[in-house]
Amino acid sequence: METISKGNSSLPTKEGRGKVRTFFRFFLFALVAVVFIGTFVFLYLHSRPKPVSYETLEPCVRDLSKSTIVTGKIEPRDEVAVKPQISGIITELLKEAGQRVEAGEVIAKLKVIPDMNQLASAESRVRLSRINSEQARTDYERQKALYDKGLISANDYEKVRQAYNQSREEVAVAQEQLELTRDGVSASNASSSNTLVRSTISGIILDIPVKVGNSVILTNTFNDGTTIASVADMSNLIFRGNIDETEVGRLSVGMPMEITIGALQDLRFSASLEYISPKATATTGGANQFEIKAAVRVPGETAQDAPFIRSGYSATAQIVLEDATKVLTIPESAIEFSGDSTFVYLVGGSAAKPVYTRTPVTTGLSDGVNIEIKSGLKKGDRVRGNRIVAETK
């Protein structure tokens, strides 16, 4: 660089200063270019997808079953409503809900409140039958006297005697009807009085919806009558529930079921499907529901060993719709679905650098976790799962 000396100092010339500025300008451009290129390379390297390694699965042989869950409740097969044979007022209840009762055993006692019209009619019938009986007796005694003297034939005598006996029977019947209308019991049927309400079957009393002092009426053409008690045989139970229309077509009578009652510490026992409704009985979420019933087999060799199951317990029933025995399966999560086709990825290569080959397979039954492989795989093949186990840096 040329300088001009003046005294003891030296200053750069104009040409020298220009060269310095040019050098720094090129240096700055080079630095910017290096930074730009370095940033681009850095971003490129970090934006490239990293090779990943997936878990490896092997097909295995197992039993598969597809089942559905039906919610419902446990009920006695036959529940009988015990009703009175006469109208009246309850004077005594001899049983309580939950107690066992035998057929013919008395549950309640009634006091009859007679209908005044029926009572008046019964009293009138008694009076009329007695009048007729007195007249028949008079005729009989007169004819008997003539018969004893041989003045009338035996045939005429027998007719009069028969009429007299019939009149006496009519008096007895009218008197009995009066007692039944007035008291609900007569001398001839005291042991089977209508005032005693008896159970018609043996079983457990589920409910007594009446109290002492309540008025009750008998069943007639105009009403169903008052229920004194509900009795059921709790050793003969059924499961009643509803199943969706999408699954009802797979059911058939006789299919086994497993019943679970959560209220009894997840008690499980078996049942057999015995009824499928031919008509939808309810609609849930826009889907029709069909009623099903199953005969429940209560565990226990004797009635004492069997658990006490209450009517109306909520329960769930598991029904096996399809099953397959000893079939080749893989987890369903390893299947790739594409339209009507299914694929898996076979694992090849080395453990460090696995190679995945997309392979079509034919599937069968699925239980929601594992799925049957009918063709495309064999035992010993390795299949790619969905879980990532490692990333290659």
Side-chain angles (χ1 to χ4, degrees):
M1 183 181 295
E2 296 182 0
T3 58
I4 301 174
S5 298
K6 189 177 180 180
N8 296 328
S9 64
S10 61
L11 298 174
T13 62
K14 183 176 182 181
E15 182 180 357
R17 289 195 297 272
K19 291 180 179 180
V20 172
R21 284 196 296 270
T22 300
F23 172 78
F24 279 106
R25 187 180 298 115
F26 279 110
F27 177 77
L28 181 61
F29 287 158
L31 182 60
V32 171
V34 170
V35 172
F36 178 78
I37 293 173
T39 302
F40 177 79
V41 172
F42 176 80
L43 294 177
Y44 172 76
L45 293 176
H46 282 75
S47 65
R48 294 176 61 187
K50 297 180 179 180
V52 295
S53 178
Y54 294 88
E55 64 175 335
T56 300
L57 306 174
E58 289 190 9
C60 63
V61 176
R62 60 161 53 92
D63 296 338
L64 286 182
S65 64
K66 183 176 183 179
S67 60
T68 186
I69 300 297
V70 180
T71 58
K73 57 184 179 179
I74 300 296
E75 297 178 350
R77 183 182 298 277
D78 298 310
E79 182 175 339
V80 176
V82 179
K83 299 182 179 183
Q85 297 177 352
I86 59 173
S87 299
I89 296 176
I90 296 178
T91 59
E92 186 178 1
L93 289 173
L94 305 179
K95 295 291 182 177
E96 296 180 353
Q99 291 183 331
R100 180 168 182 82
V101 65
E102 300 298 329
E105 193 171 353
V106 178
I107 297 177
K109 293 182 179 180
L110 302 181
K111 176 183 178 182
V112 177
I113 304 298
D115 181 88
M116 299 309 297
N117 291 331
Q118 294 180 357
L119 181 60
S121 177
E123 291 175 343
S124 176
R125 183 182 177 186
V126 170
R127 290 193 297 268
L128 181 60
S129 64
R130 286 176 177 172
I131 292 173
N132 293 335
S133 181
E134 284 295 323
Q135 182 62 45
R137 184 177 65 83
T138 301
D139 292 343
Y140 168 72
E141 290 176 350
R142 183 184 303 117
Q143 295 296 324
K144 185 177 185 303
L146 294 175
Y147 175 73
D148 291 341
K149 295 178 181 180
L151 299 176
I152 60 173
S153 64
N155 185 43
D156 292 338
Y157 171 72
E158 288 297 329
K159 289 181 179 179
V160 174
R161 189 167 69 90
Q162 182 180 2
Y164 174 53
N165 291 335
Q166 288 178 346
S167 68
R168 294 174 60 187
E169 184 64 24
E170 288 177 359
V171 171
V173 172
Q175 182 64 37
E176 184 176 2
Q177 184 63 41
L178 175 61
E179 293 174 354
L180 288 174
T181 303
R182 183 186 59 212
D183 305 324
V185 61
S186 65
S188 62
N189 67 350
S191 60
S192 57
S193 170
N194 289 341
T195 60
L196 302 178
V197 181
R198 301 175 184 273
S199 176
T200 55
I201 64 171
S202 299
I204 302 296
I205 299 178
L206 302 182
D207 185 29
I208 297 182
V210 294
K211 297 180 180 179
V212 173
N214 286 163
S215 297
V216 297
I217 57 176
L218 75 164
T219 302
N220 55 42
T221 308
F222 305 102
N223 57 69
D224 293 333
T226 305
T227 298
I228 302 295
S230 296
V231 183
D233 180 6
M234 296 304 292
S235 64
N236 188 6
L237 302 176
I238 63 171
F239 169 84
R240 186 195 302 268
N242 292 323
I243 189 169
D244 192 87
E245 60 183 337
T246 59
E247 297 178 327
V248 69
R250 301 180 181 181
L251 301 184
S252 60
V253 173
M255 294 181 69
M257 303 168 60
E258 185 180 63
I259 307 296
T260 302
I261 300 179
L264 296 179
Q265 298 180 350
D266 295 328
L267 175 66
R268 297 176 181 269
F269 46 91
S270 59
S272 177
L273 185 62
E274 64 179 19
Y275 172 78
I276 305 171
S277 174
K279 179 182 178 181
T281 56
T283 302
T284 303
N288 293 326
Q289 303 287 313
F290 291 81
E291 184 183 49
I292 62 172
K293 298 177 185 178
V296 175
R297 290 186 286 274
V298 180
E301 296 182 359
T302 63
Q304 291 74 18
D305 297 334
F308 180 67
I309 301 177
R310 302 178 187 276
S311 176
Y313 265 150
S314 296
T316 57
Q318 183 178 12
I319 309 174
V320 177
L321 302 177
E322 297 179 70
D323 60 359
T325 304
K326 296 183 179 179
V327 293
L328 191 67
T329 66
I330 63 171
E332 190 169 351
S333 59
I335 296 290
E336 178 185 295
F337 296 91
S338 178
D340 295 333
S341 302
T342 51
F343 301 88
V344 296
Y345 287 87
L346 289 177
V347 180
S350 62
K353 292 183 178 181
V355 178
Y356 303 114
T357 305
R358 192 168 185 255
T359 305
V361 294
T362 302
T363 59
L365 179 64
S366 170
D367 63 0
V369 178
N370 298 297
I371 189 169
E372 177 187 1
I373 302 297
K374 292 185 175 181
S375 64
L377 284 181
K378 62 181 181 299
K379 192 173 181 181
D381 286 342
R382 295 187 302 159
V383 178
R384 190 194 78 177
N386 283 336
R387 187 168 60 89
I388 299 175
V389 297
E391 290 186 355
T392 303
K393 296 183 179 180

